Amino acid sequence: MARKIPKIAVYKFASCDGCQLSIVDLEDELLEIGQRFEIAYFMEVTRAVKKGPYDVGLVEGSISTPHDVELIKSIRKDCKKLVAIGACATAGGIQALRNWASVEEFSKYVYAKPEYIQTLEKSSPISEYVQVDLELRGCPVNKYQLLEVLSALLAGRKPNTPTYSVCMECKRKGNVCVTVAKGIPCLGPVVQAGCGALCPTYSRGCYGCFGPMESPNVKSLASKFIELGMDKKDIVLMFREFTGWSKEFREVDRLIEE
Amino acid sequence: MSSQQKTYFALDAEMFGNIIDVLKDLGYTVYGPTERDGAIVYDVLDSAEQIARGLYDEQSPGRYKLVKKNDKRYFGYVVGPQSPKYVLYPPQHLLFKVRKDGKTFIPQSDGKKIAIVGLRPCDLKAIEILDNVLLKGPYKESVYEALRKDAVFIAVNCVEPGNNCFCTSMNTGPFAQSGYDICITEFLTDRSHVFILDVMTNRGAEVVNRLGCRNATAEELDAVSRLMEEAKNKVRKRLNTENLKDDLYKNIEHPNWNEVGNRCLACGNCTLVCPTCFCSSVFDKSSLSMDVAERWGLWDSCFSIDYSYIHGGSIRQSIMSRYRQWLMHKLATWVDQFGTFGCVGCGRCITWCPVGIDITEEANRVRG
């Protein structure tokens, strides 16, 4: 019995294309993916486009313009399953830094004719506008998590994408904790696993590109950073990077003052 | 070492490195303490050169620091972030592989024989506890069993206990009582540097015979006894275990649980560094080609929400309830379940907790 080949669509909103490149970066598996899936819409890779509906849509980028809002709604209608991939699509991305400032003022400085610019007040994750079936975190996403999602989709099983802390992966790897042994501030305890504890493996603190884990205790970790000698201002900036607009990290300034 | 009927051997410290070669010659893969990224970890040792020397550790809640001293001492530090479970019950292990043609492949032990050098008395006790949990029930943990079966343990008595050690409270140290093949006491003075070897098993004797040891002198044994007395008094941290289980059961609603729940990160570090925490989950991997699937075991933690997921959701939503579950298991419910405490007083959970939560302090607060 011939198995029906699932149709894949890959979309991009406000983003750097890095997550789409992570798909292309699956070099060893790319041919197999091409055989098992029909790449129906993937502008980063090919101009050939097949009409929807699609079995699965992978969406990179954040929603930042009125045009994006309309587009994501129509994409949602076209895709049976919608997977938001990367920090932009799941938390608003680095461009969500503008959410704490005035877009209007920025536009004045950046564009000669700001009146031509149509943009939203805020850069938002996909889930702010449409129902998302699964979120893959990271800046960029981890290619093995992408592969896991695609394999699970074929097998009709739930993908194994844990929501606990980076520390779990870090300790399993046998890494020495950078915070305890070297006093390096690391967001690992409050950040979701999935990267394989990439930064701590190279003796750097986690900077949180996978966003908040399932039950992040931001306040307690911030207290630890104060104890390590960090300024409150720097702690806020540390949380406000790629996933700063995520619900749990957004209010770090208020949590520190509590 | 008070018993003088046994024969104790002495080995010049400069000859100690030979133990690695002897073990390798006997076909063992040798794990031992080595310095990596500012801590002492267990890695595979190819030569004695890799064994940490002249290093001392400073440990306090949430802090670990290695200090280099100008001496040749081998074991100036106590336990690092890894426990022997890294070696004997690997964090991620293949359970089986199934092919589409119906053939199932169950990995068999490759016959790898493991030797661990530098195990501390608390860790020996932890292995005894893991044996009890993983091998004594109706179902044996085959991965652990295969690695554990022929393993040789070269233990080291702790003459310089650390600040987070509370082994005397848990009756697990600072000296090994059982569970080792050879137990070493390092004896370093201005004039001499020797290892006194206590041999427990035939496998241990086989190693000692090849090392070329002499018998330890009466003076050396006296000196070792004095070291032991001193070391006992150097273990400062205490946990009163009398009525501990009942006290904890009585205080299941104590307000301190909420207080520690506010500080706990639920990151899971304490459970992964714990030498007795044995929880693991299984997950399946399927390939894109859909012709092979694998089932893997993976260290899990009661601090994750998924861990307590049952029909309808997770039963331990709050961090407080997860911390309480963990501490209660270590110091109370473990006793009912397995007949001993699930804690050996190694202090790893205290040192490697990023926010320095101290199990002894929390237990004391709760029993109030």
Side-chain angles (χ1 to χ4, degrees), chain B residues 235-249:
Chain B
V235 181
R236 297 270 159 72
K237 198 179 272 296
R238 295 257 186 279
L239 177 63
N240 180 6
T241 55
E242 210 184 315
N243 294 327
L244 180 56
K245 183 185 89 169
D246 294 334
D247 286 353
L248 290 171
Y249 278 148

Side-chain angles (χ1 to χ4, degrees), chain B residues 242-311:
Chain B
E242 210 184 315
N243 294 327
L244 180 56
K245 183 185 89 169
D246 294 334
D247 286 353
L248 290 171
Y249 278 148
K250 269 184 243 158
N251 285 294
I252 201 86
E253 300 294 346
H254 193 282
N256 186 63
W257 293 119
N258 280 323
E259 198 281 323
V260 64
N262 288 337
R263 280 180 290 135
C264 175
L265 300 167
C267 56
N269 275 302
C270 49
T271 55
L272 300 195
V273 295
C274 176
T276 69
C277 272
F278 56 85
C279 286
S280 62
S281 60
V282 290
F283 72 95
D284 292 346
K285 270 186 192 171
S286 59
S287 66
L288 281 173
S289 55
M290 294 287 287
D291 54 9
V292 59
E294 295 170 348
R295 177 157 294 180
W296 287 79
L298 185 70
W299 285 2
D300 201 359
S301 171
C302 50
F303 282 90
S304 81
I305 286 188
D306 247 11
Y307 179 88
S308 70
Y309 185 90
I310 55 168
H311 170 74

Side-chain angles (χ1 to χ4, degrees), chain A residues 165 171-172 214 217 220, chain B residues 86 262-264 267 299 305:
Chain A
S165 72
K171 280 282 181 297
R172 285 184 196 136
E214 57 196 14
N217 191 342
S220 177
Chain B
Y86 269 91
N262 288 337
R263 280 180 290 135
C264 175
C267 56
W299 285 2
I305 286 188

Side-chain angles (χ1 to χ4, degrees), chain B residues 128-139:
Chain B
E128 198 181 306
I129 291 172
L130 284 181
D131 286 351
N132 192 29
V133 172
L134 299 175
L135 301 179
K136 297 278 163 65
Y139 302 103

Side-chain angles (χ1 to χ4, degrees), chain B residues 42 77 116 133 167 169 183 188 236 251 318 328 362 364:
Chain B
Y42 288 117
Y77 47 84
I116 310 180
V133 172
C167 54
S169 300
C183 183
L188 174 68
R236 297 270 159 72
N251 285 294
S318 71
M328 290 296 290
E362 301 311 324
N364 283 333

